[in-house]
Amino acid sequence: MFLSNLSNLGVLEESLCRNLFQTQVQSCILDEMRFLDNKWNEVSINSSNANRTIFENLLIENTSFRRTNLYKSTFYKTCLTNTTFIYDTLISSKWFDCRFKNVSFSQSTMQNARIENCVWENSKVVDFEGINCSIKNSIFENCEFEIASEMGINGFSGGEISSCIFVNCGFQGFPLRGISAHSCIFIDCRGEITDDIQCSSTFGLGDYSGLLKGTELKKRQEGLRLIEVVQ
């Protein structure tokens, strides 16, 4: 199915508010729509507006969002697999109780985004603007965070990461510059981080003045309680 240049809400709801397979959406207005309890496979959303849109309890696989406005949109209890976000506007977006596996965010704006109670696996965030982003109660395993561009991209600068666990993750280009990290654990992580990070009850960063260094988790009981809370 191919939909292009549509703004009629009735037509869009009838066409898209159901299970989708091999569907292309080009230059459509999806603002404030609600997608609930469906499965998307091989769907592409290109150059469209999906502001304040709700994605709830969806299974999204092999899907791409490209040059799409998702301002203040909410992803709730949604599983995303083999999905890409490229050149998208994700300002003030919300991601609650979601699962990410092999998901890629590239050259997207994520200022003031909120990520809570999520699990990320084998995913990548590259050349992103995530100023004042808030990440809480989430687990990241085998993930990569990278600032590869030389165009002054800020990563998570000014953001807050709290009660999160990072396992075997990479950080290149100082994506955590200027963040606040509270009650977090970094296990077998690698990469670059600067000394302007504010830490409290955070373990595994070493002296965080250059390359990440693994450290022994001394407050083991506190760490185990954190893992129980996140799970």
Side-chain angles (χ1 to χ4, degrees), residues 2-227:
F2 178 73
L3 302 175
S4 178
N5 294 293
L6 293 177
S7 59
N8 185 290
L9 182 60
V11 172
L12 288 168
E13 286 182 340
E14 183 178 356
S15 300
L16 299 177
C17 292
R18 56 189 178 88
N19 293 334
L20 299 178
F21 177 65
Q22 294 184 339
T23 298
Q24 296 183 48
V25 179
Q26 177 74 38
S27 302
C28 291
I29 307 298
L30 311 177
D31 291 343
E32 301 184 358
M33 289 185 63
R34 182 172 180 176
F35 301 103
L36 175 65
D37 297 330
N38 294 130
K39 181 176 182 178
W40 290 10
N41 193 355
E42 297 184 26
V43 177
S44 63
I45 309 293
N46 300 318
S47 301
S48 296
N49 288 330
N51 301 306
R52 298 174 297 278
T53 298
I54 295 175
F55 302 82
E56 183 175 351
N57 199 31
L58 261 65
L59 294 176
I60 298 177
E61 300 178 346
N62 309 308
T63 289
S64 66
F65 294 80
R66 185 179 182 89
R67 298 189 185 281
T68 290
N69 295 318
L70 290 152
Y71 172 70
K72 285 191 174 181
S73 287
T74 300
F75 290 77
Y76 178 62
K77 289 188 176 180
T78 289
C79 294
L80 302 100
T81 304
N82 299 324
T83 292
T84 59
F85 294 81
I86 306 175
Y87 301 112
D88 295 311
T89 300
L90 296 161
I91 297 172
S92 298
S93 58
K94 302 180 184 67
W95 310 78
F96 299 149
D97 300 303
C98 292
R99 299 293 182 268
F100 301 79
K101 187 173 183 179
N102 298 321
V103 175
S104 174
F105 292 83
S106 178
Q107 300 187 51
S108 295
T109 53
M110 306 171 70
Q111 294 97 325
N112 299 303
R114 291 175 57 192
I115 300 169
E116 298 183 11
N117 303 316
C118 294
V119 176
W120 296 58
E121 297 179 63
N122 304 312
S123 295
K124 193 169 186 176
V125 186
V126 180
D127 287 343
F128 60 101
E129 285 282 0
I131 294 176
N132 298 324
C133 185
S134 173
I135 306 175
K136 299 180 179 179
N137 302 320
S138 297
I139 297 175
F140 299 83
E141 183 176 5
N142 302 322
C143 293
E144 300 290 332
F145 302 86
E146 182 177 349
I147 302 297
S149 174
E150 297 180 356
M151 300 176 61
I153 293 175
N154 294 293
F156 287 123
S157 180
E160 179 178 351
I161 301 176
S162 61
S163 300
C164 291
I165 300 174
F166 296 83
V167 181
N168 194 33
C169 293
F171 302 87
Q172 301 297 328
F174 307 105
L176 301 185
R177 176 185 288 116
I179 70 162
S180 296
H182 308 290
S183 300
C184 293
I185 300 175
F186 293 79
I187 303 171
D188 295 329
C189 292
R190 64 201 174 279
E192 301 163 325
I193 191 168
T194 57
D195 58 2
D196 59 353
I197 181 173
Q198 301 296 319
C199 292
S200 64
S201 299
T202 292
F203 310 100
L205 291 183
D207 57 12
Y208 54 84
S209 60
L211 294 178
L212 286 172
K213 299 178 181 178
T215 60
E216 180 182 357
L217 182 59
K218 296 180 180 180
K219 297 185 178 180
R220 188 172 184 82
Q221 291 304 316
E222 183 175 344
L224 289 175
R225 286 198 299 271
L226 173 59
I227 294 172

